[in-house]
């Protein structure tokens, strides 16, 4: 380990390591709420979860050490600082998915997917709202017809059920 | 031997029916088309196209799948060479060396050597698969739960520790996948585990949701949040003579054969994967070359060898998948999920119970390779145009199909919430250099490993010694242990 590698600590990497430890703790603690029938007491349904929980905690601690020392870091800019993130783009994509969650049953797949399409292309810098809506609607409609009518896959029609 | 040929002949009878030929053609075409899109590797190609097989009869569905699998590999090489964006770790070298060739105006030759090399390697490796698989099946029939468990441990260790930059990070990714795999009903006792009281989680989180979340949503989040700060990818235009010169042919073919020789055996090992053979092939070509200084500047052997190795390994990976039910790559894990969707469990019994399906699938690999050669040589210009799709609409389309695939598998909006959460995890894994493949393999193999472990323990009446006293199981576990701690010891010795 040479001195140069002991670069600045990346708080994000520390966070990911802590997250793994937290996940391990969750599995470990929750494993106590699994009912165990005495017949299976020896190798019951809690053994594997506890092994996995232990592994997550141990590996999380190892990664925490690396992150703390600065030997494990996330992406960086050319100057070595943690890479910048366009949060607005992240929110647009996450918002698109959440909109789909809300819309897919009441409004139907085509409408939900169109909203997702518009928000995602917006996240990638497209400013052509009308064109994107058209492209998104067309693509979703074609996908819907191909999968539902052509392949028998079940997707909600929603408010367009009368039309299709 | 003669039995194998008879089986294979029957397989061709199945695969050559007009309907199955059509499915093979659809599979190879879709596989190439989706595989060529930047940011989509073979694993995501297979995951996204899983829903189209829902209502297709199993044999035809797997013939289409085989086409998608091989097609995704071919399409991925085109993207690697012309856009310098590898869709998976096994194409990194193709991307490095191939894009240099393209910059020097030999893009057409790079595409040709990749396609023909993939064909040669894929065909030889499929022959290998046809003859090795029955032998492994004979061996596997003697395997009990203890041996299967040991094999899975070996696969875990190699998938997590031999790939990627760091062993703890690979293992952390594996443990993450194992953790997701725990969610749902315990297969042996029927107890709900980690479902947070949500009935929709009783069936667990599907492989499609996880794969699509990690590969599609994770990639979209990563690309979108970095778009403003990094330069745009540039497509290197294909210039120069189409095809290869005599000199390039002469330099390519030994590299194809050597690449195949690395790819198939390593891929076929129950711990293989495609990354290692591509690196080995590249290093060998560099060592054997009279002009090693060309490597890194666009040497055709550096594309021919690794691409052949990659495709041969892809066929090799089917050996443990079909004969043992053991996936050793993310793509194979998703294929296994596809089998499970039909209630089929790959393994020695599948060869006995459904020979038409297994051999039809193997035979269709030969046919698919021929189709792909045609699709990728004369028609490569069509696929290149897909690279020019504008990024915003491309990713928007990927997201639409991600939602379609995930929702169609479970009809549950909770799956879409899981998709987002796993997508965020995929974003973090990209940013902090955690490999993604071990998560997918851990997710699907974890519950199987647990089941085999508990079965072995039940048979041995709770005696852990069963894993030490049975020679095959003990040997495999010892090998896994050596592979796990070996690199550490070796490194410690070098530093000391």
């Amino acid at each position: 380990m040479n001195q140069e590698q002991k670069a600045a600590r990346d708080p994000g990497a520390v966070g990911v390591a802590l997250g793994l430890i937290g996940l391990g703790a969750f599995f470990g603690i929750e494993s106590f709420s699994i009912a165990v029938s005495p017949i299976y007491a020896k190798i019951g349904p809690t053994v594997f979860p506890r092994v996995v929980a232990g592994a997550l905690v141990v590996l999380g601690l190892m990664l925490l050490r690396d992150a703390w020392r600065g030997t494990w870091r996330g992406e960086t800019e050319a100057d070595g600082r943690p890479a910048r993130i366009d949060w607005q783009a992240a929110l647009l994509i996450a918002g698109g998915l959440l909109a789909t969650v809300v819309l897919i049953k009441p409004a139907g797949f085509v409408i939900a997917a169109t909203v997702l399409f518009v928000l995602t292309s917006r996240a990638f810098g497209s400013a052509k709202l009308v064109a994107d809506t058209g492209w998104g609607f067309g693509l979703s409609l074609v996908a819907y017809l191909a999968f539902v009518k052509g392949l028998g896959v079940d997707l909600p029609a929603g408010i367009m059920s009368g039309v299709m | 031997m003669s039995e194998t040929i008879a089986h294979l002949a029957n397989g061709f009878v199945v695969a050559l029916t007009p309907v199955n030929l059509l499915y093979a053609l659809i599979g190879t075409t879709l596989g190439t088309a989706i595989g060529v899109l930047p940011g989509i590797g073979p694993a995501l190609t297979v995951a996204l196209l899983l829903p189209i097989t829902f209502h297709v009869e199993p044999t035809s569905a797997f013939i289409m799948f085989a086409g998608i699998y091989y097609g995704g590999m071919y399409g991925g090489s085109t993207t690697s060479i012309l856009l310098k964006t590898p869709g998976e770790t096994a194409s990194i070298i193709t991307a490095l060396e191939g894009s240099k060739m393209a910059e020097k105006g030999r893009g057409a030759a790079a595409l040709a050597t990749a396609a023909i090399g993939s064909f040669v390697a894929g065909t030889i490796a499929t022959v290998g698969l046809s003859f090795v698989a029955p032998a492994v099946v004979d061996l596997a029939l003697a395997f009990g739960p203890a041996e299967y468990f040991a094999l899975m441990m070996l696969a875990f260790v190699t998938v997590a520790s031999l790939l990627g930059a760091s062993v703890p990070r690979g293992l952390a990714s594996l443990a993450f996948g194992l953790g997701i795999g725990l969610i749902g009903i315990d297969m042996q006792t029927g107890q709900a585990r980690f479902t947070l009281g949500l009935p929709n989680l009783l069936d667990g989180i599907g492989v499609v949701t996880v794969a699509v979340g990690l590969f599609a949503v994770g990639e979209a989040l990563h690309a979108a949040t970095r778009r403003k700060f990094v330069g745009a990818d540039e497509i290197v235009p294909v210039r120069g003579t189409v095809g290869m010169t005599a000199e390039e042919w002469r330099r390519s073919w030994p590299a194809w054969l050597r690449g195949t020789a690395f790819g198939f055996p390593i891929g076929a090992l129950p711990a293989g994967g495609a990354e290692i053979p591509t690196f080995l092939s590249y290093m060998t070509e560099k060592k054997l070359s009279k002009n090693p200084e060309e490597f890194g500047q666009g040497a055709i052997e550096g594309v021919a060898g690794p691409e052949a190795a990659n495709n041969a390994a892809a066929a090799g990976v089917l050996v443990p998948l079909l004969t043992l039910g053991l996936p050793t790559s993310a793509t194979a894990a998703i294929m296994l999920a596809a089998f499970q969707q039909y209630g089929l469990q790959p393994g020695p019994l599948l060869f006995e119970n459904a020979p038409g399906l297994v051999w039809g699938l193997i035979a269709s690999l030969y046919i698919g390779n021929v189709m792909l050669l045609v699709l990728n040589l004369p028609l490569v210009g069509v696929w290149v145009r897909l690279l020019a799709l504008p990024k915003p609409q491309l990713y928007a389309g990927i997201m639409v199909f991600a939602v379609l695939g995930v929702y169609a598998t479970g009809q549950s909006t909770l799956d879409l919430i899981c998709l987002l959460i796993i997508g965020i995890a995929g974003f973090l894994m990209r940013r902090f250099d955690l490999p993604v493949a071990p998560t997918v393999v851990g997710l699907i193999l974890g519950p199987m490993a647990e089941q085999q472990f508990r079965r072995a323990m039940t048979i041995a009446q709770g005696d852990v010694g069963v894993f030490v006293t049975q020679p095959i199981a003990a040997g495999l576990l010892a090998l896994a242990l050596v592979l796990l701690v070996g690199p550490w010891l070796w490194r410690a010795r070098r530093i000391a």
Side-chain angles (χ1 to χ4, degrees):
Chain A
M1 229 43 71
N2 60 34
Q3 284 300 313
E4 273 166 324
Q5 273 181 305
K6 288 194 177 177
R9 180 177 304 149
D10 182 346
V14 175
V16 171
L18 290 174
L20 283 170
I21 297 169
L23 193 65
F26 164 79
F27 281 120
I29 294 165
E30 273 287 302
S31 75
F32 286 95
S33 65
I34 300 169
V36 181
S37 142
I39 317 167
Y40 293 102
K42 196 135 197 175
I43 306 291
T46 58
V47 176
F48 244 64
R50 284 181 195 151
V51 171
V52 173
L56 278 167
V57 171
V58 170
L59 291 164
L61 286 170
M62 290 170 74
L63 292 183
L64 183 63
R65 184 195 60 188
D66 289 351
W68 199 258
R69 287 178 178 167
T71 52
W72 173 46
R73 315 182 65 213
E75 278 177 291
T76 52
E77 299 288 346
D79 63 4
R81 279 185 305 178
R84 282 166 292 171
I85 291 177
D86 179 354
W87 289 105
Q88 198 196 344
L91 286 177
L92 279 167
I93 292 180
L97 274 176
L98 289 175
T100 319
V101 171
V102 175
L103 290 174
I104 197 161
K105 269 185 188 148
F109 171 79
V110 177
I111 304 283
T114 306
V115 172
L116 176 65
F117 189 98
V118 171
L119 290 176
T120 307
S121 42
R122 177 97 205 148
F124 281 87
S126 171
K128 295 174 245 163
L129 188 65
V130 179
D132 284 339
T133 310
W135 279 113
F137 186 80
L139 179 75
S140 310
L141 187 65
V142 169
Y144 179 89
L145 292 175
F147 276 81
V148 176
K149 309 284 177 194
L151 295 158
V153 173
D154 209 9
L155 290 171
I159 51 173
M160 293 177 69
S161 56
V163 198
M164 293 185 294
Chain B
M1 192 70 159
S2 60
E3 206 185 337
T4 302
I5 291 171
H7 279 308
L8 194 58
N10 283 334
F12 271 103
V13 172
V14 173
L16 283 171
T17 57
V19 175
N20 285 339
L21 276 176
L22 181 66
Y23 276 113
L25 185 64
I26 296 174
T28 47
T29 310
L30 276 177
T32 310
I34 308 290
V36 97
L37 297 174
I40 301 190
L44 182 59
T45 307
V46 177
L48 283 179
L49 294 177
L50 195 60
I52 65 173
T53 63
F54 280 173
H55 297 272
V56 179
E57 181 260 329
T59 306
S60 304
F62 281 101
I63 284 175
M64 178 154 67
F65 248 102
I68 293 169
Y69 180 54
Y70 273 17
M73 309 278 299
Y74 276 78
S77 349
T78 306
T79 323
S80 304
I81 291 168
L82 297 182
L83 212 56
K84 211 178 178 178
T85 46
E88 46 158 8
T89 40
S91 323
I92 289 174
I93 290 174
T94 313
L96 288 176
E97 206 67 36
S99 62
K100 282 277 190 281
M101 280 185 74
E103 280 165 19
K104 289 205 296 194
R106 296 304 299 149
L111 290 172
T113 199
I116 302 169
S118 296
F119 170 75
V120 170
T123 304
I124 296 174
T126 308
V127 176
L129 166 68
S130 313
F131 289 94
V132 172
V136 181
V137 163
D138 288 341
L139 197 70
L141 284 170
F143 278 16
E147 284 79 15
Y148 272 111
F149 174 75
L151 262 181
M152 288 166 182
M153 289 300 115
L154 182 62
F156 282 159
V157 169
T158 46
V159 169
S161 73
L162 292 186
L163 321 172
S166 118
V167 177
R169 267 178 265 161
L171 289 173
S173 166
L174 175 72
F176 178 55
L178 292 173
I180 303 173
L182 291 171
I183 297 170
I185 285 198
D186 170 33
M187 284 193 277
Q188 291 212 307
T189 61
Q191 291 292 339
R193 298 192 295 192
F194 310 108
T195 56
L196 308 169
L198 298 167
N200 276 334
L201 278 181
L202 288 175
D203 286 335
I205 299 178
V207 175
V208 172
T209 310
V210 173
V212 171
L214 290 176
F215 290 107
V217 181
E219 169 67 24
L221 280 170
H222 185 251
T225 54
R226 293 291 297 147
R227 181 186 60 89
K228 281 187 185 165
F229 312 114
V230 292
D233 294 329
E234 259 177 66
I235 306 170
V236 188
V238 184
R239 284 175 285 132
T241 25
V242 176
M244 294 189 286
T245 62
E247 165 76 2
E248 282 164 337
W249 274 97
R250 200 187 50 72
R251 287 173 62 178
S252 288
W253 71 262
W256 294 334
L257 297 182
R258 281 190 292 261
T260 311
F262 280 118
F264 180 72
I266 297 179
L269 286 174
E275 289 81 359
I276 296 165
T278 58
F279 287 107
L280 286 176
S281 162
Y282 187 74
M283 287 189 294
T284 308
E285 294 310 324
K286 194 173 173 180
K287 194 163 271 176
L288 290 176
S289 169
K290 289 191 201 90
N291 327 54
E293 72 284 350
E294 275 186 33
F295 280 74
Q297 306 302 320
I300 194 162
E301 296 93 335
V303 179
E307 266 304 294
N310 190 5
N311 262 60
V317 163
L318 293 175
V319 173
L321 179 70
L322 292 175
T323 60
L324 299 165
L326 199 71
T328 52
S329 70
T331 319
I334 299 162
M335 299 264 282
L336 181 61
F339 275 101
Q340 289 174 345
Q341 212 161 52
Y342 281 98
L344 298 167
Q345 181 58 47
L349 293 178
L350 191 68
F351 278 77
E352 288 191 356
N353 299 338
L357 188 151
V358 177
W359 289 100
L361 170 69
I362 293 174
S364 79
L365 293 172
Y366 292 92
I367 301 166
N369 254 318
V370 177
M371 289 178 171
L372 282 163
L373 189 65
V374 177
L375 281 174
N376 280 277
L377 272 186
L379 296 179
V380 71
V382 179
W383 311 120
V384 171
R385 258 179 245 156
L386 286 176
L387 293 178
L389 281 177
K391 273 278 161 66
Q393 287 75 21
L394 169 67
Y395 277 99
I398 293 175
M399 290 294 288
V400 166
F401 279 95
V403 162
L404 193 160
V406 169
Y407 194 81
T409 38
Q411 306 292 329
S412 147
T413 44
L414 185 68
D415 284 346
L416 295 179
I417 297 173
C418 293
L419 179 71
L420 174 60
I421 296 171
I422 290 163
I424 293 170
F427 163 74
L428 290 172
M429 291 169 89
R430 270 175 182 70
R431 185 174 170 92
F432 294 101
D433 196 21
L434 290 146
V436 179
T439 303
V440 182
V441 173
L443 167 72
I444 188 137
L445 219 42
M448 291 164 66
E450 176 177 18
Q451 206 178 9
Q452 299 291 4
F453 179 74
R454 284 157 73 179
R455 266 193 212 151
M457 292 297 281
T458 312
I459 293 169
Q461 294 176 332
D463 176 16
V464 198
V466 63
F467 296 106
V468 192
T469 50
Q470 308 239 0
I472 300 177
L476 290 168
L477 284 174
L479 185 60
L481 193 68
V482 167
L483 287 174
L484 183 62
V485 294
W488 263 327
L489 294 179
W490 190 58
R491 222 169 293 158
R493 210 193 59 186
R494 268 209 314 187
I495 289 167

